[in-house]
Amino acid sequence: MAIVKKAPKAPRLHVKGTILGFKRGRRNTYHHTSLIKVDGVNENSASSFFAGKKVAYIYKADKVVKGSKLRVVWGKLTRTHGTNGVFRAKFDKNLNPETIGKSVRVFLYPSRI
């Protein structure tokens, strides 16, 4: 039996995150800034690495456009929100409240190292 070598997989360039909601005060909600929890980030020292990284909210639509039903809304992590791995993010278009609880991809670029 011949041994088949698998081609090396490309490294994954993103980390999973979750949309928690919008930035808000006691009475007002600010829809232009979303709160994102990045998986595996639980302390403030690790969170400084992610500031400025690109974020993609990927969803499926009903209509096929350019051969795909997938759509992407791009954004950027602007700063931390607290000390527990939550970030503020601004997207190109404000996210719909239906997206709360859905997952996003936090890409590991642009790199500041």
Side-chain angles (χ1 to χ4, degrees):
M1 186 185 297
I3 298 174
V4 178
K5 287 188 175 181
K6 291 184 180 180
K9 286 179 81 174
R12 190 180 73 190
L13 296 177
H14 64 86
V15 178
K16 187 178 174 232
T18 307
I19 300 171
L20 299 181
F22 301 113
K23 184 179 107 169
R24 58 182 301 240
R26 185 174 175 195
R27 294 176 182 85
N28 296 334
T29 305
Y30 301 97
H31 300 286
H32 54 75
T33 304
S34 300
L35 300 178
I36 309 291
K37 169 72 173 146
V38 178
D39 289 0
V41 180
N42 295 321
E43 53 197 39
N44 207 19
S45 60
S47 63
S48 63
F49 170 79
F50 284 97
K53 300 290 190 243
K54 291 282 192 178
V55 185
Y57 170 63
I58 303 171
Y59 63 98
K60 260 185 198 171
D62 292 332
K63 188 175 177 184
V64 176
V65 175
K66 296 182 183 176
S68 176
K69 289 186 173 185
L70 295 178
R71 308 278 194 276
V72 180
V73 180
W74 286 96
K76 182 164 64 167
L77 296 180
T78 55
R79 56 173 287 185
T80 60
H81 181 81
T83 59
N84 218 7
V86 178
F87 293 87
R88 298 180 192 180
K90 295 212 175 219
F91 286 86
D92 292 341
K93 292 207 168 187
N94 295 344
L95 294 181
N96 194 318
E98 291 176 359
T99 62
I100 295 174
K102 303 276 176 73
S103 64
V104 294
R105 291 182 181 180
V106 179
F107 289 91
L108 301 178
Y109 54 82
S111 176
R112 293 183 296 149
I113 297 175

